[in-house]
PDB file of all heavy atoms in Angstrom:
ATOM      1  N   VAL A 444     -16.247  -8.911   1.966  1.00 98.00           N
ATOM      2  CA  VAL A 444     -17.402  -9.599   2.542  1.00 98.00           C
ATOM      3  C   VAL A 444     -18.143 -10.349   1.431  1.00 98.00           C
ATOM      4  O   VAL A 444     -18.375  -9.796   0.357  1.00 98.00           O
ATOM      5  CB  VAL A 444     -18.359  -8.586   3.218  1.00 98.00           C
ATOM      6  CG1 VAL A 444     -19.579  -9.297   3.799  1.00 98.00           C
ATOM      7  CG2 VAL A 444     -17.631  -7.800   4.308  1.00 98.00           C
ATOM      8  N   ASP A 445     -18.478 -11.601   1.700  1.00 98.00           N
ATOM      9  CA  ASP A 445     -19.280 -12.406   0.767  1.00 98.00           C
ATOM     10  C   ASP A 445     -20.654 -12.633   1.371  1.00 98.00           C
ATOM     11  O   ASP A 445     -20.766 -12.966   2.550  1.00 98.00           O
ATOM     12  CB  ASP A 445     -18.614 -13.765   0.515  1.00 98.00           C
ATOM     13  CG  ASP A 445     -17.404 -13.621  -0.385  1.00 98.00           C
ATOM     14  OD1 ASP A 445     -16.304 -13.326   0.145  1.00 98.00           O
ATOM     15  OD2 ASP A 445     -17.559 -13.767  -1.609  1.00 98.00           O
ATOM     16  N   ILE A 446     -21.687 -12.444   0.563  1.00 98.00           N
ATOM     17  CA  ILE A 446     -23.042 -12.750   1.028  1.00 98.00           C
ATOM     18  C   ILE A 446     -23.652 -13.770   0.062  1.00 98.00           C
ATOM     19  O   ILE A 446     -23.753 -13.521  -1.138  1.00 98.00           O
ATOM     20  CB  ILE A 446     -23.953 -11.502   1.061  1.00 98.00           C
ATOM     21  CG1 ILE A 446     -23.296 -10.372   1.878  1.00 98.00           C
ATOM     22  CG2 ILE A 446     -25.329 -11.855   1.621  1.00 98.00           C
ATOM     23  CD1 ILE A 446     -24.135  -9.091   1.908  1.00 98.00           C
ATOM     24  N   THR A 447     -24.026 -14.929   0.607  1.00 98.00           N
ATOM     25  CA  THR A 447     -24.773 -15.896  -0.187  1.00 98.00           C
ATOM     26  C   THR A 447     -26.247 -15.744   0.174  1.00 98.00           C
ATOM     27  O   THR A 447     -26.643 -15.982   1.315  1.00 98.00           O
ATOM     28  CB  THR A 447     -24.293 -17.334   0.110  1.00 98.00           C
ATOM     29  OG1 THR A 447     -22.883 -17.382  -0.165  1.00 98.00           O
ATOM     30  CG2 THR A 447     -25.005 -18.345  -0.775  1.00 98.00           C
ATOM     31  N   VAL A 448     -27.013 -15.271  -0.800  1.00 98.00           N
ATOM     32  CA  VAL A 448     -28.453 -15.058  -0.588  1.00 98.00           C
ATOM     33  C   VAL A 448     -29.180 -16.294  -1.099  1.00 98.00           C
ATOM     34  O   VAL A 448     -29.022 -16.668  -2.260  1.00 98.00           O
ATOM     35  CB  VAL A 448     -28.922 -13.800  -1.355  1.00 98.00           C
ATOM     36  CG1 VAL A 448     -30.419 -13.589  -1.179  1.00 98.00           C
ATOM     37  CG2 VAL A 448     -28.139 -12.570  -0.893  1.00 98.00           C
ATOM     38  N   LYS A 449     -29.956 -16.908  -0.209  1.00 98.00           N
ATOM     39  CA  LYS A 449     -30.664 -18.129  -0.621  1.00 98.00           C
ATOM     40  C   LYS A 449     -32.096 -17.814  -1.013  1.00 98.00           C
ATOM     41  O   LYS A 449     -32.650 -16.776  -0.619  1.00 98.00           O
ATOM     42  CB  LYS A 449     -30.623 -19.141   0.523  1.00 98.00           C
ATOM     43  CG  LYS A 449     -29.197 -19.555   0.841  1.00 98.00           C
ATOM     44  CD  LYS A 449     -29.138 -20.491   2.013  1.00 98.00           C
ATOM     45  CE  LYS A 449     -27.697 -20.783   2.386  1.00 98.00           C
ATOM     46  NZ  LYS A 449     -27.623 -21.636   3.566  1.00 98.00           N
ATOM     47  N   GLY A 450     -32.684 -18.695  -1.795  1.00 98.00           N
ATOM     48  CA  GLY A 450     -34.075 -18.532  -2.196  1.00 98.00           C
ATOM     49  C   GLY A 450     -34.681 -19.890  -2.482  1.00 98.00           C
ATOM     50  O   GLY A 450     -34.095 -20.914  -2.151  1.00 98.00           O
ATOM     51  N   VAL A 451     -35.822 -19.850  -3.078  1.00 97.00           N
ATOM     52  CA  VAL A 451     -36.465 -21.092  -3.525  1.00 97.00           C
ATOM     53  C   VAL A 451     -36.684 -20.936  -5.024  1.00 97.00           C
ATOM     54  O   VAL A 451     -37.434 -20.050  -5.451  1.00 97.00           O
ATOM     55  CB  VAL A 451     -37.816 -21.337  -2.797  1.00 97.00           C
ATOM     56  CG1 VAL A 451     -38.468 -22.631  -3.287  1.00 97.00           C
ATOM     57  CG2 VAL A 451     -37.599 -21.378  -1.290  1.00 97.00           C
ATOM     58  N   GLY A 452     -36.006 -21.748  -5.817  1.00 97.00           N
ATOM     59  CA  GLY A 452     -36.036 -21.582  -7.269  1.00 97.00           C
ATOM     60  C   GLY A 452     -37.299 -22.153  -7.904  1.00 97.00           C
ATOM     61  O   GLY A 452     -38.112 -22.807  -7.254  1.00 97.00           O
ATOM     62  N   GLY A 453     -37.428 -21.876  -9.211  1.00 97.00           N
ATOM     63  CA  GLY A 453     -38.583 -22.410  -9.937  1.00 97.00           C
ATOM     64  C   GLY A 453     -38.695 -21.802 -11.323  1.00 97.00           C
ATOM     65  O   GLY A 453     -37.753 -21.180 -11.830  1.00 97.00           O
ATOM     66  N   HIS A 454     -39.879 -21.935 -11.911  1.00 97.00           N
ATOM     67  CA  HIS A 454     -40.122 -21.443 -13.269  1.00 97.00           C
ATOM     68  C   HIS A 454     -40.362 -19.934 -13.242  1.00 97.00           C
ATOM     69  O   HIS A 454     -41.117 -19.442 -12.406  1.00 97.00           O
ATOM     70  CB  HIS A 454     -41.347 -22.160 -13.851  1.00 97.00           C
ATOM     71  CG  HIS A 454     -41.434 -22.062 -15.341  1.00 97.00           C
ATOM     72  ND1 HIS A 454     -41.557 -20.875 -16.021  1.00 97.00           N
ATOM     73  CD2 HIS A 454     -41.404 -23.029 -16.298  1.00 97.00           C
ATOM     74  CE1 HIS A 454     -41.602 -21.095 -17.323  1.00 97.00           C
ATOM     75  NE2 HIS A 454     -41.520 -22.416 -17.530  1.00 97.00           N
ATOM     76  N   GLY A 455     -39.744 -19.240 -14.216  1.00 97.00           N
ATOM     77  CA  GLY A 455     -39.883 -17.787 -14.275  1.00 97.00           C
ATOM     78  C   GLY A 455     -41.308 -17.328 -14.493  1.00 97.00           C
ATOM     79  O   GLY A 455     -41.665 -16.175 -14.191  1.00 97.00           O
ATOM     80  N   ALA A 456     -42.139 -18.170 -15.003  1.00 98.00           N
ATOM     81  CA  ALA A 456     -43.536 -17.804 -15.264  1.00 98.00           C
ATOM     82  C   ALA A 456     -44.418 -17.939 -14.024  1.00 98.00           C
ATOM     83  O   ALA A 456     -45.552 -17.472 -14.015  1.00 98.00           O
ATOM     84  CB  ALA A 456     -44.091 -18.689 -16.381  1.00 98.00           C
ATOM     85  N   TYR A 457     -43.879 -18.570 -12.980  1.00 98.00           N
ATOM     86  CA  TYR A 457     -44.704 -18.818 -11.784  1.00 98.00           C
ATOM     87  C   TYR A 457     -43.985 -18.337 -10.522  1.00 98.00           C
ATOM     88  O   TYR A 457     -43.663 -19.129  -9.626  1.00 98.00           O
ATOM     89  CB  TYR A 457     -45.035 -20.318 -11.679  1.00 98.00           C
ATOM     90  CG  TYR A 457     -45.540 -20.886 -12.982  1.00 98.00           C
ATOM     91  CD1 TYR A 457     -44.721 -21.671 -13.789  1.00 98.00           C
ATOM     92  CD2 TYR A 457     -46.839 -20.588 -13.422  1.00 98.00           C
ATOM     93  CE1 TYR A 457     -45.172 -22.162 -15.010  1.00 98.00           C
ATOM     94  CE2 TYR A 457     -47.295 -21.075 -14.647  1.00 98.00           C
ATOM     95  CZ  TYR A 457     -46.464 -21.860 -15.438  1.00 98.00           C
ATOM     96  OH  TYR A 457     -46.910 -22.334 -16.648  1.00 98.00           O
ATOM     97  N   PRO A 458     -43.696 -17.020 -10.471  1.00 97.00           N
ATOM     98  CA  PRO A 458     -42.893 -16.492  -9.340  1.00 97.00           C
ATOM     99  C   PRO A 458     -43.540 -16.749  -7.982  1.00 97.00           C
ATOM    100  O   PRO A 458     -42.843 -16.850  -6.976  1.00 97.00           O
ATOM    101  CB  PRO A 458     -42.822 -14.990  -9.636  1.00 97.00           C
ATOM    102  CG  PRO A 458     -43.950 -14.707 -10.574  1.00 97.00           C
ATOM    103  CD  PRO A 458     -44.143 -15.955 -11.385  1.00 97.00           C
ATOM    104  N   HIS A 459     -44.882 -16.862  -7.960  1.00 97.00           N
ATOM    105  CA  HIS A 459     -45.575 -17.034  -6.677  1.00 97.00           C
ATOM    106  C   HIS A 459     -45.265 -18.381  -6.035  1.00 97.00           C
ATOM    107  O   HIS A 459     -45.520 -18.584  -4.863  1.00 97.00           O
ATOM    108  CB  HIS A 459     -47.091 -16.887  -6.881  1.00 97.00           C
ATOM    109  CG  HIS A 459     -47.639 -17.837  -7.905  1.00 97.00           C
ATOM    110  ND1 HIS A 459     -47.338 -17.734  -9.246  1.00 97.00           N
ATOM    111  CD2 HIS A 459     -48.453 -18.917  -7.781  1.00 97.00           C
ATOM    112  CE1 HIS A 459     -47.946 -18.706  -9.912  1.00 97.00           C
ATOM    113  NE2 HIS A 459     -48.630 -19.434  -9.035  1.00 97.00           N
ATOM    114  N   THR A 460     -44.675 -19.314  -6.813  1.00 97.00           N
ATOM    115  CA  THR A 460     -44.309 -20.612  -6.223  1.00 97.00           C
ATOM    116  C   THR A 460     -42.841 -20.616  -5.775  1.00 97.00           C
ATOM    117  O   THR A 460     -42.325 -21.641  -5.352  1.00 97.00           O
ATOM    118  CB  THR A 460     -44.489 -21.751  -7.250  1.00 97.00           C
ATOM    119  OG1 THR A 460     -43.555 -21.548  -8.328  1.00 97.00           O
ATOM    120  CG2 THR A 460     -45.909 -21.774  -7.814  1.00 97.00           C
ATOM    121  N   THR A 461     -42.173 -19.475  -5.900  1.00 97.00           N
ATOM    122  CA  THR A 461     -40.735 -19.401  -5.561  1.00 97.00           C
ATOM    123  C   THR A 461     -40.496 -18.342  -4.482  1.00 97.00           C
ATOM    124  O   THR A 461     -41.414 -17.619  -4.080  1.00 97.00           O
ATOM    125  CB  THR A 461     -39.896 -18.995  -6.803  1.00 97.00           C
ATOM    126  OG1 THR A 461     -40.147 -17.606  -7.087  1.00 97.00           O
ATOM    127  CG2 THR A 461     -40.238 -19.826  -8.028  1.00 97.00           C
ATOM    128  N   ARG A 462     -39.235 -18.249  -4.054  1.00 97.00           N
ATOM    129  CA  ARG A 462     -38.763 -17.089  -3.282  1.00 97.00           C
ATOM    130  C   ARG A 462     -37.549 -16.595  -4.070  1.00 97.00           C
ATOM    131  O   ARG A 462     -36.488 -17.231  -4.032  1.00 97.00           O
ATOM    132  CB  ARG A 462     -38.341 -17.485  -1.865  1.00 97.00           C
ATOM    133  CG  ARG A 462     -39.499 -17.888  -0.968  1.00 97.00           C
ATOM    134  CD  ARG A 462     -40.239 -16.664  -0.408  1.00 97.00           C
ATOM    135  NE  ARG A 462     -41.317 -17.066   0.484  1.00 97.00           N
ATOM    136  CZ  ARG A 462     -42.626 -16.825   0.263  1.00 97.00           C
ATOM    137  NH1 ARG A 462     -42.997 -16.190  -0.831  1.00 97.00           N
ATOM    138  NH2 ARG A 462     -43.532 -17.203   1.123  1.00 97.00           N
ATOM    139  N   ASP A 463     -37.722 -15.502  -4.788  1.00 98.00           N
ATOM    140  CA  ASP A 463     -36.726 -15.093  -5.782  1.00 98.00           C
ATOM    141  C   ASP A 463     -35.500 -14.437  -5.130  1.00 98.00           C
ATOM    142  O   ASP A 463     -35.579 -13.317  -4.615  1.00 98.00           O
ATOM    143  CB  ASP A 463     -37.376 -14.119  -6.767  1.00 98.00           C
ATOM    144  CG  ASP A 463     -36.450 -13.780  -7.937  1.00 98.00           C
ATOM    145  OD1 ASP A 463     -35.243 -14.063  -7.833  1.00 98.00           O
ATOM    146  OD2 ASP A 463     -36.945 -13.228  -8.932  1.00 98.00           O
ATOM    147  N   PRO A 464     -34.329 -15.090  -5.175  1.00 98.00           N
ATOM    148  CA  PRO A 464     -33.130 -14.530  -4.532  1.00 98.00           C
ATOM    149  C   PRO A 464     -32.574 -13.302  -5.278  1.00 98.00           C
ATOM    150  O   PRO A 464     -31.830 -12.527  -4.684  1.00 98.00           O
ATOM    151  CB  PRO A 464     -32.125 -15.692  -4.570  1.00 98.00           C
ATOM    152  CG  PRO A 464     -32.533 -16.515  -5.743  1.00 98.00           C
ATOM    153  CD  PRO A 464     -34.034 -16.386  -5.838  1.00 98.00           C
TER     154      PRO A 464
END
Side-chain angles (χ1 to χ4, degrees):
V444 179
D445 286 85
I446 307 178
T447 303
V448 178
K449 297 177 185 177
V451 180
H454 198 298
Y457 312 104
H459 56 292
T460 65
T461 72
R462 290 280 182 243
D463 187 345

